[in-house]
């Protein structure tokens, strides 16, 4: 038996002002778009902003449904819109924010497993690491690739 340890690196910022300017802008877009989320069932309003290789920013938010599984998370709404409309532009960074009753959540928001899988696919598709910013009042986390969110992931390499 052999045991290996997988290490992930997480950068933690105390405030949005500590981030590089481009990241601040992206995170503010994610925050802004939380307000347009359609989340009447959970009341959890998530916003995602994606920075593409051509400098374009695409946003999305969660879209819920009375048939719960028919809804979709903010990350995948933004990511799929980006991939659908700008299929040759690599995804550089995604910023994710969440609000309850209009107030930014305390702890950094954590993407669900399906969104992590979708991010992993996009990263492989464009062969470019995706930086991930997770927003919260207490702290903002920066990960430098999907490997830090979803180690040992399933991918086309396994097929
Ligand atoms: N949600 C997201 O949009 N992204 C996340 O990272 C976590 C969860 C949504 C799905 C659902 O509409 C609501 O938040 C509650 O789970």
């Amino acid at each position: 038996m052999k045991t290996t340890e997988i290490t992930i690196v997480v950068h933690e910022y105390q405030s949005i002002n500590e981030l590089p300017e481009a990241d601040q802008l992206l995170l503010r877009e994610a925050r802004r778009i939380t307000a347009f989320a359609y989340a009447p069932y959970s009341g959890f309003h998530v916003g995602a902003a994606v920075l593409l290789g051509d400098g374009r920013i695409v946003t999305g938010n969660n879209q819920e449904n009375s048939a719960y599984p028919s809804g979709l998370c903010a990350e995948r709404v933004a990511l799929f819109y980006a991939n659908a409309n700008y299929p040759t532009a690599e995804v550089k960074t995604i910023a994710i924010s969440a609000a309850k009753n209009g107030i930014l959540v305390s702890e950094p928001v954590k993407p669900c497993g399906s969104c992590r899988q979708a991010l992993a696919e996009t990263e492989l598709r464009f062969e470019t690491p995706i930086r991930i910013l997770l927003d919260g009042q207490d702290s903002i986390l920066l990960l430098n690739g999907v490997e830090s969110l979803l180690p040992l992931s399933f991918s086309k390499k396994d097929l």
Side-chain angles (χ1 to χ4, degrees), residues 80-117:
F80 292 164
Y81 182 89
N83 292 163
N85 287 279
Y86 310 105
T88 58
E90 74 267 31
V91 172
K92 297 285 228 187
T93 311
I94 183 168
I96 308 158
S97 191
K100 282 189 267 189
N101 300 314
I103 297 166
L104 174 64
V105 293
S106 310
E107 277 188 30
V109 59
K110 296 155 199 96
C112 79
S114 296
C115 288
R116 291 174 196 221
Q117 186 68 33

Side-chain angles (χ1 to χ4, degrees), residues 38-39 42 44 46 61-64 72-75 96 109-112 115:
Y38 177 65
S42 70
F44 193 66
V46 186
N61 44 37
N62 51 330
Q63 299 294 318
E64 296 187 349
L72 199 62
C73 294
E75 294 89 325
I96 308 158
V109 59
K110 296 155 199 96
C112 79
C115 288

Side-chain angles (χ1 to χ4, degrees), residues 61-157:
N61 44 37
N62 51 330
Q63 299 294 318
E64 296 187 349
N65 194 287
S66 56
Y68 290 3
S70 300
L72 199 62
C73 294
E75 294 89 325
R76 276 175 290 161
V77 169
L79 208 55
F80 292 164
Y81 182 89
N83 292 163
N85 287 279
Y86 310 105
T88 58
E90 74 267 31
V91 172
K92 297 285 228 187
T93 311
I94 183 168
I96 308 158
S97 191
K100 282 189 267 189
N101 300 314
I103 297 166
L104 174 64
V105 293
S106 310
E107 277 188 30
V109 59
K110 296 155 199 96
C112 79
S114 296
C115 288
R116 291 174 196 221
Q117 186 68 33
L119 283 162
E121 183 74 27
T122 305
E123 200 174 75
L124 269 184
R125 175 176 173 176
F126 295 108
E127 295 174 344
T128 304
I130 302 178
R131 297 169 67 253
I132 301 148
L133 282 162
L134 307 176
D135 195 19
Q137 271 189 49
D138 297 347
S139 63
I140 296 161
L141 304 183
L142 168 66
L143 311 173
N144 277 322
V146 181
E147 180 68 20
S148 299
L149 268 183
L150 191 65
L152 299 177
S153 63
F154 180 80
S155 75
K156 64 182 178 188
K157 295 177 195 154

